Amino acid sequence: MYTVYNTRPTFSTGKNKMERKKITIVGAGHVGAHTALWLGLKELGDVVLLDIVEGVPQGKALDLMEASPVEGFDSAITGTNDYRDTAGSDLVIITAGIARKPGMSRSDLINTNSSIVKTVVEKVVEYSPEAHLIIVTNPLDVMVYVAWKISGLPPSRVMGLSGALDSARLRAFIAMELDVSVEDVQAMVIGGHADEMVPLRRYSTVSGIPVTQLIDAKRMDGIIERTRNAGGEIVSLLKTGSAYYAPSAAVAEMAESIIKDKKRIIPCAAYCEGQYGVDGMYIGVPVKLGRNGVEEIIEIELDEEEERDFRRSVSAIKELIDSLEIESMGIKDTRP
Ligand code: APR
């Protein structure tokens, strides 16, 4: 195990020492490395890329550092295989795991990825007990539950990437359909990060105009279907891996809201304690993301159809957690 230090001193002028935030990304694969790039471009902090494979995080970190003069960012990006280099991180993004292959459902990934997430989280919290954790590894809603259980952290500091990505995809499809700027399109997707996700057309707008007034119901059905299958659509095109540009951009958006205490309202997998009638489980809901992590879960009204779809999504996640035999991993299942 070795570390390549891309030394760039933290700006320091004696007493008025200014320190950048420290962000660790575990898993220097497609999603992890691209997340490092977005974080660097946004200068959100110094980034430590960690992977189990020797050389890969070091090589990618160095490559990113060599891109920094071109883009003019001063975040230091370091690659390592050693968790000691992650010590004192403010935020840890976990992408370690195996990616979905064609014909593989997110649930097929469950056993391999849950043991990877377990090992990773144990190490992460040992060295960064104050960190916020964003989980990216799929199947997301189950992995974030496992991560939270293993971490022993308050649920407000452990969350998962789901709706930020799914709503970005829905926004892209709405903008394509209407030939309008993506900047003006807002969309909301709640529920699990799986085929049972719940894209909410009533809460999707173009500059405040409900999309229901701009796109007829049948076309919108098609867009919603495409959003539900968006991850699979990329997998079937790539053939050897899953999406990474949009996932990494979406996780960087969540990171930015936390690091800069922006308090943006972004749908993500959060621990519900009665909200939306869900107790003791993670699922995608709109949350306020700030320096304290998930600062609030925003409860919006759901009509009959949305409520039915959301319940279906809750059941699907419950079944996945049941299939995991969580107690055999040494995790106490405290769901009611
Ligand atoms: N510790 C650290 N890194 C690990 C470990 C581990 N125990 N196990 C695997 N990894 C690393 C791999 O070496 C690899 O570099 O995780 C990385 C995963 O990268 P990719 O295979 O490129 O997968 P990626 O496309 O980045 O997806 C990662 O995000 O969107 C989800 O479903 C996706 O669960 C998958 C995850």
Side-chain angles (χ1 to χ4, degrees):
M1 286 210 300
Y2 62 100
T3 306
V4 171
Y5 288 104
N6 300 317
T7 43
R8 208 173 247 174
T10 298
F11 179 66
S12 167
T13 51
K15 265 195 191 161
N16 301 320
K17 194 176 169 211
M18 257 181 65
E19 283 191 3
R20 294 194 198 94
K21 294 285 184 188
K22 181 169 180 178
I23 308 172
T24 287
I25 302 169
V26 184
H30 286 96
V31 178
H34 283 83
T35 303
L37 174 61
W38 296 113
L39 298 181
L41 289 172
K42 288 171 180 280
E43 287 191 321
L44 289 182
D46 291 335
V47 177
V48 178
L49 253 184
L50 182 143
D51 202 281
I52 200 165
V53 180
E54 289 190 12
V56 167
Q58 292 85 350
K60 291 191 181 182
L62 190 55
D63 198 4
L64 284 162
M65 283 295 275
E66 290 164 6
S68 68
V70 181
E71 285 301 321
F73 61 83
D74 284 309
S75 298
I77 304 179
T78 310
T80 185
N81 309 108
D82 188 342
Y83 280 91
R84 281 176 295 187
D85 296 322
T86 71
S89 294
D90 299 285
L91 176 64
V92 178
I93 297 166
I94 297 177
T95 75
I98 58 160
R100 197 154 51 125
K101 311 244 162 36
M104 207 179 186
S105 74
R106 284 191 180 91
S107 45
D108 292 335
L109 293 175
I110 194 164
N111 288 318
T112 311
N113 282 355
S114 55
S115 61
I116 292 175
V117 165
K118 180 175 185 275
T119 321
V120 167
V121 171
E122 282 167 352
K123 284 287 183 194
V124 160
V125 292
E126 181 185 339
Y127 288 98
S128 301
E130 303 299 324
H132 291 93
L133 309 187
I134 304 180
I135 313 303
V136 180
T137 308
N138 278 316
L140 191 277
D141 305 272
V142 184
M143 292 305 116
V144 66
Y145 181 73
V146 169
W148 170 63
K149 280 286 188 184
I150 295 292
S151 72
L153 297 177
S156 58
R157 279 177 35 209
V158 183
M159 68 215 80
L161 169 72
S162 56
L165 169 59
D166 300 322
S167 63
R169 286 170 166 162
L170 177 53
R171 287 171 68 192
F173 297 146
I174 292 170
M176 287 176 202
E177 172 71 17
L178 293 172
D179 191 24
V180 296
S181 167
V182 288
E183 281 187 64
D184 291 330
V185 181
Q186 288 294 332
M188 178 61 71
V189 180
I190 61 170
H193 184 53
D195 300 341
E196 301 82 11
M197 71 179 69
V198 189
L200 297 175
R201 70 182 87 199
R202 289 193 311 133
Y203 291 99
S204 301
T205 65
V206 180
S207 278
I209 308 161
V211 288
T212 46
Q213 292 180 27
L214 301 171
I215 303 176
D216 72 49
K218 216 161 168 230
R219 291 289 299 177
M220 201 57 207
D221 287 344
I223 289 172
I224 284 183
E225 205 40 39
R226 190 172 184 194
T227 304
R228 288 205 172 103
N229 298 326
E233 185 179 359
I234 306 266
V235 169
S236 61
L237 288 167
L238 294 182
K239 297 187 181 66
T240 54
S242 54
Y244 48 93
Y245 290 112
S248 56
V251 78
E253 179 184 49
M254 290 171 67
E256 183 173 36
S257 194
I258 295 170
I259 298 279
K260 293 188 178 171
D261 192 29
K262 284 176 79 78
K263 303 194 192 293
R264 291 196 55 199
I265 308 298
I266 298 177
C268 66
Y271 186 74
C272 291
E273 294 168 284
Q275 296 94 340
Y276 292 91
V278 177
D279 199 9
M281 224 179 73
Y282 274 83
I283 191 162
V285 285
V287 305
K288 187 196 281 181
L289 279 187
R291 74 163 72 147
N292 299 311
V294 174
E295 299 192 346
E296 191 184 340
I297 292 177
I298 316 278
E299 290 198 77
I300 54 176
E301 275 176 29
L302 301 181
D303 67 18
E304 216 173 285
E305 189 187 343
E306 292 158 351
E307 180 71 29
R308 191 200 57 216
D309 290 351
F310 188 78
R311 293 293 134 219
R312 191 182 301 142
S313 195
V314 172
S315 304
I317 298 170
K318 272 190 181 147
E319 272 174 39
L320 274 187
I321 297 177
D322 292 343
S323 76
L324 183 59
E325 293 171 5
I326 210 158
E327 307 263 349
S328 69
M329 295 175 66
I331 302 172
K332 194 159 169 43
D333 191 354
T334 50
R335 291 175 298 152

